[in-house]
């Protein structure tokens, strides 16, 4: 077998001549060379001996050479990667400032007010977010909690849980007491169990929506939550309860009152996926328009005048045109999923005059289904007996893949499967524009940023809220990251923050999270376990965060984390559980790392001084952040000032002409 060194340095076979007679140094001139016959030389190939080997030794030789060649390529690649890493400027890496140790693996987290809720084995735990001290443990379930949501209701907190069986439970955390409502979708017969696939609670806790699956069907249930009734029931129970009945206290006043059942949420609507569009049953166009009542459902495509034969003909033409692309095994159609958002009253989602909706309470539910071109709007002012028809339909040119609503419910982004984004200003009632992602990029997730400005090289939040101006980051399926900006006076723009990784695939982005406490900053989680903080205005990484020990990552890594604005921090689950002892029966130790931005020198001043006064905005340094009325007023003032200046210049010009005319008259009179 040939050596690996020769297989790398000599890719071509070299022919050497071997002489039968003794070797000697030839004379310097060609005339003195001996004229021997060609038979004195035998041309031999160094690999001739290997080629003459019998099988299977020739195959073994080729496999070994191939193995050595590939190993050498891997070694060279690692050396190049090591050199690139050594030449790259590494950001400052900050360790966590705290650690919450758990005996069971946490599955999810939520933050509300001063409390951290950690869902895990048979229930959830409550911690103080500032001191990381355990306050209470609720472990009344037989299975683990896989999703948890905590909604701030003012002085109370609404906790929504989903366990491994897909059962939803609502708990009411009020005045150091934990109350439970009956499970939403629990049934006695396990074979008829209905599973929750997704849940959403409106800001303020007035409504809740749950995407359910059961018996081969998928639908969306919408509930109105009786907050006022719950508060009265809790106050009444606290007046009549005996303090001796408190159970399971951990040096706190929190107690679970399972004997008190709160009122059930009110079921107001059941929404099913839109039916597939089929041939029409109408005989005339007049019947189509007669079917549409008060323009409800207009634009959904359900009421049309296309016959079944036309659909079949169109399908035949399509299959014939793209036969070579359609041949092969068909993939099973995925389950229809829904994405839904609670929308506040606005110019787009206006309520009837007779309906009085309190401020800050949603009035419309926006829904789009997998593979659907339409974004449906359903009024929340209804009951279960009312007919479920959408009050509005926003059709798109391609199926909607991703949608995202801003925290203020003022902006909505619809991302279609063709990579086109539609930006809506819901508060003002008009689209901010349409923009396409770069070729080959398709949206995976959208994350809104609180609008910020760059003042003296630092990102700052305007003191007063701005209108018709938004910024968001878009994570694409190819792990590229883009910044999208739009305002009322200019079209939307897009900038690449992170390009698609080509060589280092382990650096691909798997998750992104904005940091409200740091203007213009986002956390970037990579597949290799790296967590970086990026400044989207400068397109550069500020610093990185890492636990004290290296990660043992799952493939693919799905980080479990949560970001808090107050206190300014984020928490990250340690995906490297370890044993607390040397024996076989030692417990597995799980941790949640606590990173506080104010404890790091580079970020301390940013989080504490992140607001720019309105007086600095009024000096026209940032005209885009001013209200539209002030900007129009200043534009008119500037126009009038320019007009006055032009009039003054014109008067001066006429005065010069008059003086010149008088000068000419005097000269003529002298002559």
């Amino acid at each position: 077998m040939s050596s690996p060194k020769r297989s790398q340095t000599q890719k071509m076979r070299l022919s050497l001549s071997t002489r039968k007679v003794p070797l000697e140094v030839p004379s310097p001139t060609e005339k003195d060379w001996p004229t021997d016959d060609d038979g004195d030389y035998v041309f031999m190939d160094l690999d001739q001996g290997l080629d003459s080997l019998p099988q299977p030794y020739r195959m073994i030789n080729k496999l070994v050479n191939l193995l050595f060649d590939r190993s050498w390529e891997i070694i060279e690649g690692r050396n190049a990667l090591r050199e690139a890493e050594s030449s790259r400027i590494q950001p400052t890496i900050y360790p966590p400032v705290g650690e919450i140790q758990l005996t069971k693996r946490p599955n999810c987290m939520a933050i509300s007010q001063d409390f951290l809720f950690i869902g895990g084995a048979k229930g959830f735990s409550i911690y103080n977010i500032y001191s990381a001290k355990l306050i209470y443990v609720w472990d009344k379930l037989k299975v683990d909690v896989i999703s948890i949501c905590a909604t701030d209701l003012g002085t109370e907190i609404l906790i929504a849980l989903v366990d491994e069986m897909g059962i939803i439970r609502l708990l009411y955390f009020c005045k150091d007491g934990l109350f439970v409502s009956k499970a939403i979708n629990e049934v006695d017969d396990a074979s008829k169990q209905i599973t929750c696939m997704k849940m959403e609670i409106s800001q303020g806790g007035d409504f809740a929506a749950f995407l359910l699956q059961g018996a081969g069907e998928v639908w969306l249930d919408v509930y109105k939550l009786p907050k006022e009734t719950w508060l009265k029931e809790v106050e009444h129970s606290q007046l009549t309860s005996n303090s001796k009945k408190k159970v399971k206290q951990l040096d706190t006043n929190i107690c679970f009152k399972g004997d008190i059942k709160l009122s059930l949420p009110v079921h107001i609507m059941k929404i099913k996926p839109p039916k597939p569009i089929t041939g029409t049953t109408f005989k005339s166009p007049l019947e189509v328009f007669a079917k549409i009542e008060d323009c409800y459902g207009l634009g959904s495509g359900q009421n049309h005048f296309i016959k079944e034969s036309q659909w079949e003909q169109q399908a035949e033409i399509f299959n014939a045109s793209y036969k070579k692309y359609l041949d092969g095994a068909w993939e099973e159609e995925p389950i229809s999923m829904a994405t839904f958002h609670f929308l506040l009253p606005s110019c787009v989602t206006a309520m009837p005059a007779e309906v009085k909706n309190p401020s800050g309470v949603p009035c419309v539910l926006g829904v789009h289904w997998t593979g659907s071109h339409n974004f449906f709007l359903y009024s929340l002012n209804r009951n279960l007996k009312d007919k479920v028809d959408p009050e509005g339909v926003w059709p798109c040119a391609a199926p909607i893949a991703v949608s995202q609503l801003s925290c203020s419910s003022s902006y909505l982004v619809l991302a279609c499967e063709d990579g086109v984004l539609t930006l809506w200003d819901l508060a003002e009632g008009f689209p901010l524009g349409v923009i396409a992602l770069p070729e080959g990029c398709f949206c995976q997730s959208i994350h809104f940023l609180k609008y910020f400005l760059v003042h003296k090289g630092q990102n700052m939040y305007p003191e007063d809220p701005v209108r018709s101006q938004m910024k968001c980051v878009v994570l694409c399926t190819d792990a590229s990251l883009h910044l999208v900006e739009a305002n009322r006076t200019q079209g939307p723009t897009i900038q690449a923050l992170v390009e698609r990784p080509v060589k280092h695939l382990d650096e691909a982005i798997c998750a992104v999270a904005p940091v409200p406490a740091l203007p213009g900053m986002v956390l970037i989680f990579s597949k290799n376990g790296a967590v970086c903080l990026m400044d989207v205005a400068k397109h550069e990484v500020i610093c990185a965060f890492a636990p004290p020990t290296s990660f043992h990552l799952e493939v693919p890594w799905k980080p479990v984390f949560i970001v808090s604005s107050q206190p300014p921090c984020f928490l990250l689950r340690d995906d490297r559980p370890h044993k607390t002892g040397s024996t076989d029966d030692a417990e597995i130790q799980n941790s949640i790392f606590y990173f506080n931005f104010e404890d790091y020198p580079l970020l301390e001043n940013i989080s504490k001084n992140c607001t720019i006064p309105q007086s600095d905005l009024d000096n026209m340094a940032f005209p885009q952040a001013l209200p539209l009325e002030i900007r129009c007023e200043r534009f008119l003032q500037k126009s009038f000032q320019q007009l006055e200046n032009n009039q003054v210049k014109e008067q001066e010009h006429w005065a010069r002409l008059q003086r010149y005319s008088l000068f000419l008259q005097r000269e003529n009179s002298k002559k």
Side-chain angles (χ1 to χ4, degrees):
M1 292 183 293
S2 61
S3 65
K5 182 177 180 181
R6 182 181 181 278
S7 64
Q8 287 297 326
T9 59
Q10 300 178 2
K11 294 297 183 180
M12 300 178 60
R13 295 181 176 180
L14 301 178
S15 297
L16 299 179
S17 60
T18 306
R19 190 167 180 171
K20 296 180 180 179
V21 296
L23 296 176
E24 59 182 12
V25 179
S27 59
T29 61
E30 194 173 332
K31 297 178 180 180
D32 299 333
W33 288 2
T35 57
D36 296 340
D37 296 335
D38 294 339
D40 293 338
Y41 295 93
V42 178
F43 291 89
M44 298 181 59
D45 191 343
L46 293 181
D47 291 339
Q48 186 176 358
L50 298 176
D51 293 339
S52 62
L53 290 174
Q55 291 287 12
Y57 299 105
R58 290 201 305 270
M59 182 185 67
I60 295 174
N61 176 70
K62 292 180 180 179
L63 291 177
V64 172
N65 287 337
L66 179 62
L67 177 62
F68 286 152
D69 291 344
R70 291 185 176 179
S71 300
W72 189 260
E73 292 176 358
I74 294 175
I75 292 172
E76 289 180 341
R78 290 182 177 178
N79 289 336
L81 178 61
R82 191 177 296 109
E83 292 177 0
E85 289 290 338
S86 60
S87 61
R88 182 187 304 180
I89 300 177
Q90 298 294 335
T92 304
I93 300 177
Y94 291 119
V97 297
E99 181 181 357
I100 299 176
Q101 296 183 349
L102 305 170
T103 57
K104 301 294 182 180
R105 180 179 174 85
N107 298 323
C108 49
M109 292 182 287
I111 291 178
S112 182
Q113 297 182 10
D114 298 338
F115 302 99
L116 168 65
F117 303 89
I118 302 176
K122 298 183 180 181
F124 67 95
S125 305
I126 304 177
Y127 286 80
N128 185 288
I129 188 63
Y130 291 93
S131 63
K133 180 182 178 182
L134 178 63
I135 299 177
Y136 184 76
V137 177
W138 187 81
D139 53 357
K140 305 295 181 180
L141 303 179
K142 297 180 180 180
V143 293
D144 293 354
V145 173
I146 60 173
S147 179
I148 187 169
C149 176
T151 305
D152 188 0
L153 306 181
T155 57
E156 307 85 27
I157 299 175
L158 175 64
I159 307 169
L161 306 175
V162 178
D163 61 23
E164 290 179 322
M165 301 298 293
I167 300 176
I168 312 160
R169 290 176 174 83
L170 299 180
L171 292 92
Y172 194 69
F173 186 24
C174 176
K175 296 182 179 179
D176 301 331
L178 193 61
F179 303 83
V180 64
S181 178
K182 185 180 179 181
I184 299 293
N185 57 334
E186 189 174 20
V187 293
D188 296 332
D189 189 357
S191 62
K192 300 179 181 179
Q193 181 60 53
I194 299 174
T195 304
C196 176
M197 306 173 67
K198 188 184 297 186
M199 67 176 176
E200 185 75 26
I201 310 294
S202 67
Q203 290 189 16
D206 296 282
F207 295 93
F210 307 102
L211 183 63
L212 304 177
Q213 179 186 11
E217 295 183 353
V218 177
W219 68 93
L220 184 63
D221 274 348
V222 185
Y223 292 84
K224 186 174 183 180
L225 305 180
K227 297 192 304 180
E228 293 77 10
T229 305
W230 285 346
L231 185 58
K232 293 179 181 179
E233 293 173 349
V234 168
E235 291 177 348
H236 177 73
S237 64
Q238 289 178 344
L239 292 175
T240 57
S241 63
N242 190 345
S243 60
K244 295 182 180 181
K245 295 183 180 180
K246 295 182 180 180
V247 295
K248 199 167 185 178
Q249 291 180 270
L250 297 176
D251 299 329
T252 66
N253 295 325
I254 297 178
C255 61
F256 175 66
K257 300 183 179 180
D259 56 335
I260 301 174
K261 297 294 183 181
L262 301 181
S263 300
L264 293 177
V266 180
H267 190 195
I268 61 173
M269 189 167 31
K270 182 178 181 179
I271 304 174
K272 294 184 178 181
K275 298 179 181 179
I277 299 178
T278 58
T280 182
T281 58
F282 300 113
K283 298 181 180 180
S284 66
L286 295 177
E287 295 184 9
V288 178
F289 290 102
K291 181 68 175 178
I292 302 175
E293 301 176 358
D294 299 331
C295 297
Y296 288 166
L298 184 63
S300 63
Q302 296 293 334
N303 300 321
H304 58 84
F305 199 59
I306 303 175
K307 297 181 180 180
E308 186 69 28
S309 59
Q310 293 175 302
W311 285 115
E312 294 176 356
Q313 183 180 6
Q314 183 67 25
E316 292 177 359
I317 296 174
F318 180 83
N319 293 332
S321 302
Y322 301 97
K323 182 180 180 180
K324 62 179 180 180
Y325 302 104
L326 299 175
D327 289 343
W330 287 86
E331 296 182 358
E332 185 178 354
E333 186 176 354
I335 299 175
S336 182
M337 295 287 291
T339 304
F340 39 94
H341 311 281
F342 290 99
L343 309 181
L344 297 177
S346 63
C347 298
V348 177
T349 58
M351 294 295 293
E354 63 273 10
V355 178
K356 295 182 179 180
N357 202 56
S359 177
V361 177
C363 63
V364 169
L365 180 70
V367 184
H368 69 85
W369 298 84
T370 303
S372 175
H373 293 243
N374 301 322
F375 187 75
F376 298 95
L377 302 175
Y378 294 89
S379 173
L380 295 173
N381 183 36
R382 65 172 79 227
N383 53 52
L384 194 58
K385 297 181 180 180
D386 295 336
K387 187 177 180 180
V388 181
D389 283 329
E391 276 67 23
V393 180
W394 293 355
C396 297
I400 303 174
V402 181
S403 65
Q404 186 62 44
L405 183 70
S406 65
C407 296
S408 61
S409 300
S410 300
Y411 306 102
L412 175 70
V413 177
L414 301 178
C416 296
E417 293 182 357
D418 58 358
V420 176
L421 308 179
T422 305
L423 317 176
W424 281 91
D425 184 349
L426 301 179
E428 299 296 331
F430 62 88
L432 288 173
V434 178
I435 192 169
L437 294 170
E439 185 178 359
C441 296
F442 304 98
C443 181
Q444 177 179 333
S445 61
I446 303 171
H447 309 271
F448 276 95
L449 302 175
K450 186 178 178 181
Y451 191 81
F452 67 94
L453 300 166
V454 180
H455 179 58
K456 297 181 180 179
Q458 182 177 349
N459 301 340
M460 306 285 284
Y461 289 135
E463 188 176 15
D464 296 338
V466 297
R467 295 192 298 178
S468 301
Q469 299 178 77
M470 56 143 295
K471 296 184 180 183
C472 66
V473 291
V474 179
L475 177 62
C476 296
T477 54
D478 62 353
S480 61
L481 188 66
H482 304 269
L483 173 65
V484 178
E485 301 181 68
N487 57 61
R488 192 171 190 174
T489 58
Q490 300 177 355
T493 60
I494 185 170
Q495 304 176 48
L497 299 175
V498 180
E499 298 289 348
R500 176 177 64 91
V502 178
K503 295 183 179 180
H504 313 306
L505 300 181
D506 59 336
E507 296 181 357
I509 301 175
C510 59
V512 176
V515 182
L518 304 175
M521 306 284 183
V522 293
L523 286 171
I524 297 178
F525 299 83
S526 302
K527 290 183 178 180
N528 59 2
V531 183
C532 301
L533 182 68
M534 169 172 277
D535 186 343
V536 300
K538 299 179 181 178
H539 298 195
E540 63 181 21
V541 174
I542 303 300
C543 61
F545 305 94
T549 56
S550 60
F551 276 95
H552 179 72
L553 301 177
E554 300 175 352
V555 179
W557 184 45
K558 296 181 179 179
V560 176
F561 64 92
I562 189 168
V563 181
S564 171
S565 57
Q566 196 57 244
C569 66
F570 81 97
L571 296 97
L572 176 65
R573 184 184 70 182
D574 181 13
D575 286 338
R576 182 189 163 276
H578 52 279
K579 293 183 178 181
T580 57
S582 58
T583 59
D584 296 337
D585 57 349
E587 293 185 353
I588 300 297
Q589 186 69 50
N590 297 268
S591 300
I592 293 178
F593 296 113
Y594 178 83
F595 298 87
N596 193 322
F597 299 119
E598 292 184 343
D599 289 342
Y600 305 123
L602 285 178
L603 308 176
E604 181 180 4
N605 294 331
I606 299 177
S607 61
K608 293 182 179 180
N609 305 310
C610 61
T611 304
I612 181 172
Q614 187 66 31
S615 58
D616 292 344
L617 295 177
D618 292 339
N619 60 7
M620 293 300 292
F622 304 101
Q624 68 274 19
L626 297 175
L628 182 62
E629 294 79 4
I630 298 178
R631 292 162 64 185
C632 291
E633 181 181 355
R634 294 192 173 184
F635 175 76
L636 293 176
Q637 289 178 355
K638 185 177 180 180
S639 300
F640 288 139
Q641 185 67 33
Q642 291 179 352
L643 181 60
E644 291 178 357
N645 294 337
N646 292 336
Q647 290 177 352
V648 171
K649 291 180 180 179
E650 187 176 357
Q651 291 175 359
E652 293 177 353
H653 178 67
W654 281 109
R656 286 196 298 268
L657 289 178
Q658 289 177 357
R659 288 196 298 269
Y660 183 69
S661 177
L662 292 174
F663 173 76
L664 292 178
Q665 290 178 4
R666 292 172 184 172
E667 291 295 327
N668 292 332
S669 62
K670 290 180 180 179
K671 294 179 179 179

